[in-house]
Amino acid sequence: MTETYTRSLDRFRTLYRSDRHVWRLVLMIGIWMLFMAITRFNKFYTLINFQTMAAQFPEFGLMSLGVMLCMITGGIDLSVVGIANLTSILMAFLLLNLTSAGGALPGYAIGLVIVLAMLLGAGFGFFNGLLVSKFHIPPILATMGSGELFTGICLAMTNGNAISKFSRSYAQTINNRIFDLIPVQLIIFIVMAVFIWFLISKTVFGTKIYMLGTSETVAKFSGLRTDRLLIETYVISGICAALGGMIMLANYNSARADYGSVYTLQCVLIVVLGGVNPIGGKGRISGVVLAIILLRLLETGLNRFPTISSYYISLIWGGVLILVMVLNYFTENKKPLKKRLVRFPSTK
């Protein structure tokens, strides 16, 4: 009996060490769900509440998937919100032109705007990839600059106003529920998440980007075309951001330059919280998905407490990000502090 217990405990420890970020997130989700069950059960545990969460988180969830890919390569994409807003504004103008006098859209309109949005996102991502790979601009500066550029274009096109008054058919289609239960936004997120999981786990492309993130020098000497890999990664990130923008367009039934302004911090927080190494070479999509769910649960739960102002949410996100980075530092350093200091003997 004792031997069986010891073996089970050893297996659990091995499993925990291999996926400590995932287990940490599962534990945090469980604790928060228990806390909400004790304090706000009737207001939190409702079908409409979970459906609302499932319809809202794909906005920043899709952007987070793109940021994850870029961070695995050792880079980052801070332009996802700019890409999302610029894409949604351009598609809003197109929907305005396609809307008839009676407020209807032609049958091909919704499919057309989705495809065009993905192409636009790919183009914006290609631009980021060129800046990083060909001009060797640090990713954080390249994507921060391009993000400001995209936002500036949005402001110039709209004068800071919201673009609306197009047919509600688009919003009604995207905001619809499959079998009157599962939001379409969630289906879009799941499809993209499965695609990226397959890409990084089951294809050579995934192996290459992990190698690139681990050591760019080794990747180059191994014969990898690092420039092409970086461009492809940022193209995929641009597509994810564009799809997030199209979901925002449906949820708000309008497009504006400053929508989702807090999503940049949230995306970085989600990716780091999900176990992706900020310097590259490590990370799993399962951890990122759990981090997305955790943040949505936290924000929705906090909104159930009227005494807690929504202005504190950004403060909480920043604090959580710093806390996670500190925890990652101590958990990733295998050697105890005393053993590491042995290498630096006293000079006395």
Side-chain angles (χ1 to χ4, degrees), residues 236-249:
I236 297 172
S237 179
I239 294 173
C240 291
L243 288 174
M246 296 310 293
I247 291 179
M248 283 199 298
L249 180 62

Side-chain angles (χ1 to χ4, degrees), residues 116-291:
L116 286 179
M118 294 176 67
L119 291 175
L120 285 171
F124 299 143
F126 183 80
F127 175 72
N128 284 334
L130 285 179
L131 294 177
V132 174
S133 63
K134 298 298 184 181
F135 295 95
H136 303 288
I137 302 175
I140 189 171
L141 297 179
T143 57
M144 185 184 297
S146 64
E148 290 297 317
L149 173 64
F150 299 146
T151 301
I153 295 173
C154 293
L155 291 170
M157 293 174 63
T158 64
N159 292 321
N161 299 319
I163 307 301
S164 58
K165 297 183 180 179
F166 49 82
S167 174
R168 296 185 61 86
S169 299
Y170 174 78
Q172 290 170 352
T173 301
I174 302 300
N175 291 332
N176 199 7
R177 293 171 184 165
I178 307 298
F179 306 118
D180 200 29
L181 183 65
I182 305 174
V184 172
Q185 299 98 320
L186 180 62
I187 299 297
I188 296 173
F189 173 79
I190 291 174
V191 170
M192 201 63 191
V194 171
F195 169 74
I196 292 179
W197 167 82
F198 179 81
L199 200 64
I200 64 176
S201 302
K202 304 296 182 180
T203 67
V204 177
F205 172 80
T207 303
K208 289 179 179 179
I209 65 171
Y210 278 109
M211 182 182 296
L212 176 61
T214 302
S215 174
E216 184 177 358
T217 303
V218 172
K220 287 181 178 179
F221 280 102
S222 299
L224 298 184
R225 299 175 63 180
T226 56
D227 290 355
R228 180 177 177 178
L229 275 175
L230 286 171
I231 290 174
E232 291 173 347
T233 302
Y234 282 92
V235 164
I236 297 172
S237 179
I239 294 173
C240 291
L243 288 174
M246 296 310 293
I247 291 179
M248 283 199 298
L249 180 62
N251 287 345
Y252 299 128
N253 199 36
S254 63
R256 190 170 172 173
D258 60 351
Y259 282 166
S261 57
V262 299
Y263 286 166
T264 301
L265 172 63
Q266 284 192 18
C267 289
V268 175
L269 170 61
I270 285 167
V271 173
V272 175
L273 185 62
V276 179
N277 193 332
I279 63 175
K282 183 180 179 182
R284 295 187 180 184
I285 194 171
S286 56
V288 173
V289 172
L290 285 173

